[in-house]
Every structure is written in C-alpha cells, then in structure tokens.
C-alpha cells in the first residue's frame, strides 16, 4: 500500500492506523533517511497501540520497551550498531519472537537476524510535492 502524507500529523495517523491492526509477533522494519519522519511515524504507531508514554528514537540506547499499551511494543533504532552480533547481547530473538510487536529503524543493518517475513515501511521525501510531503509504502517483505 502507498500512502501520501502532507504534514507530520498525517504521517503519525498513518502509523496509528497501522498499529491498530498489529498482532503480537509482528516485526515492522522502518526505512528512511535522517529527518524523514520515522520518529513521528513511530509516535503515531505507539498511539495506535494505546501507549501514552513519550516516544523518542532510541538511537543511543538501541531499544525502548513500552509495556502499558494493548500489547508490548519494542522500538529499536539500530543506526549506531557496530556489529549485528551486538543484537544477541540485547536479546533480539526474545523480542522478535515474544508477545509484543517490534518496530525496527534502520533494519537493513541487521537484515540477516530478522525473521523470514516482516512488514517493511519506507518513508520518502519528494520536495517537488512540498517540504512536508512524504510517500509511505507499506508491504510485506520476505527476508
């Protein structure tokens, strides 16, 4: 599916609607350049899971967990991961195959560690359509 967002609020609402359909065990891989709106999308996603906590990108901690929504939410940002094997120390498999939902920013950096099927979310800018315009493509992907 392809969605168009013309402002940050639209981007958040697309994330919120996607999360409302999420089921435990799903892994979402979020791709996009720096500053494209991944955090805004994730904030909407958390809202769709009925999470009221402030959502920030876990760039330096790699993982933020949220347990107070309708299911556990595991938000990864692996942008600063030095070696994919570091994910073993975090216990990636426990989260991916756990009872919650995972959203992984920069998932291409740990591609070999992901389950066979994921839901890929690509966010792209197009300045010809406006500064806040985003094209958001969501599709199931085989790793």
């Amino acid at each position: 599916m392809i969605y168009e967002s013309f402002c940050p609020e639209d981007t958040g609402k697309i994330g919120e609607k996607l999360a409302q359909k999420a089921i435990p065990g799903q892994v979402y891989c979020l791709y996009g350049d720096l500053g494209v709106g991944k955090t805004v999308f994730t904030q909407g996603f958390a809202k769709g899971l009925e999470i009221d906590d402030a959502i920030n990108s876990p760039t330096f901690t790699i993982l933020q967990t949220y347990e107070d929504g309708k299911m556990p939410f595991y938000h990864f940002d692996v942008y600063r991961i030095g070696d994919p094997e570091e994910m073993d120390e975090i216990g990636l498999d426990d989260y991916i195959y756990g009872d919650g939902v995972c959203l992984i920013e920069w998932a291409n950096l740990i591609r070999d560690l992901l389950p066979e099927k994921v839901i890929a979310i690509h966010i792209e800018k197009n300045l010809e359509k406006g500064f806040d315009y985003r094209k958001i493509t969501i599709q199931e992907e085989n790793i």
Side-chain angles (χ1 to χ4, degrees):
M1 303 184 106
I2 296 175
Y3 299 90
E4 291 184 302
S5 169
F6 295 92
C7 63
E9 292 79 15
D10 290 347
T11 299
K13 286 181 182 178
I14 293 166
E16 181 179 356
K17 288 181 181 181
L18 181 63
Q20 289 170 347
K21 299 174 185 173
I23 58 172
Q26 283 184 317
V27 176
Y28 295 85
C29 297
L30 185 55
Y31 304 101
D33 293 334
L34 292 170
V36 80
K38 293 184 299 294
T39 299
V40 170
F41 183 91
T42 302
Q43 289 167 341
F45 194 90
K47 184 176 181 184
L49 293 174
E50 301 173 12
I51 294 169
D52 296 325
D53 295 348
I55 305 296
N56 298 303
S57 186
T59 301
F60 294 101
T61 58
I62 300 176
L63 169 65
Q64 291 286 349
T65 62
Y66 304 93
E67 303 282 342
D68 65 342
K70 66 180 186 178
M71 73 181 83
F73 175 44
Y74 310 118
H75 179 203
F76 291 86
D77 182 332
V78 298
Y79 181 73
R80 298 197 184 279
I81 199 84
D83 183 340
E85 290 182 14
E86 290 177 45
M87 298 306 291
D88 289 336
E89 296 170 19
I90 294 169
L92 178 66
D93 284 352
D94 294 336
Y95 296 103
I96 285 179
Y97 300 106
D99 58 355
V101 60
C102 292
L103 189 144
I104 305 170
E105 297 184 41
W106 303 98
N108 54 302
L109 299 174
I110 60 167
R111 188 173 183 88
D112 292 341
L113 305 176
L114 298 175
E116 185 177 311
K117 289 188 186 237
V118 299
I119 298 169
I121 304 157
H122 295 270
I123 304 177
E124 302 169 88
K125 291 181 183 182
N126 183 340
L127 294 177
E128 292 178 8
K129 293 189 175 190
F131 180 76
D132 288 329
Y133 175 85
R134 302 295 185 265
K135 176 182 166 186
I136 302 172
T137 306
I138 302 171
Q139 62 191 22
E140 191 172 287
E141 189 173 273
N142 291 322
I143 299 292

